[in-house]
Amino acid sequence: MKEIIADLTPYLTGDNKTSDNVIGAYITVDEGTEKKAIEIKFRPDLSQVERNGIIIFIGNSLLSTCAATEAQNPNDEFLKLMDGIQIKEWIE
């Protein structure tokens, strides 16, 4: 069972390349393993190729954000949250 610990939807549905395709985005923790993930809900009519492309785009954006954050403050809480996080499609 997964627990939602943060709703990222406002950050991924604003004025960016994913806004028309993402209907929800959440940071979740698997209660059994404590593994963190960013899980993304897509419009149902999107192809798997489009979904995978968006996941890659979001992953690359997060890598850039982490690199910039680390350069300014290597002990930032954001970096601790992102450490080991997986990005994947939300599966009901």
Side-chain angles (χ1 to χ4, degrees):
M1 169 115 355
K2 60 186 163 192
E3 174 188 358
I4 295 173
I5 60 171
D7 184 353
L8 301 177
T9 305
Y11 304 102
L12 295 178
T13 58
D15 185 26
N16 62 43
K17 293 180 182 178
T18 64
S19 63
D20 293 336
N21 300 315
V22 173
I23 58 174
Y26 310 94
I27 295 178
T28 62
V29 174
D30 184 287
E31 292 176 353
T33 63
E34 297 299 314
K35 289 185 180 181
K36 298 175 288 187
I38 295 176
E39 297 195 43
I40 302 164
K41 285 185 181 182
F42 294 102
R43 282 192 351 244
D45 61 321
L46 283 182
S47 71
Q48 193 61 50
V49 171
E50 291 171 306
R51 293 168 192 235
N52 290 343
I54 292 169
I55 288 172
I56 291 168
F57 171 77
I58 291 170
N60 288 339
S61 295
L62 283 173
L63 284 174
S64 296
T65 301
C66 287
T69 302
E70 187 172 35
Q72 292 179 346
N73 182 2
N75 298 317
D76 193 281
E77 288 296 316
F78 174 73
L79 295 173
K80 292 176 187 172
L81 178 64
M82 292 295 115
D83 185 36
I85 204 161
Q86 179 183 19
I87 303 169
K88 61 185 183 178
E89 183 175 352
W90 179 279
I91 305 292
E92 296 291 334

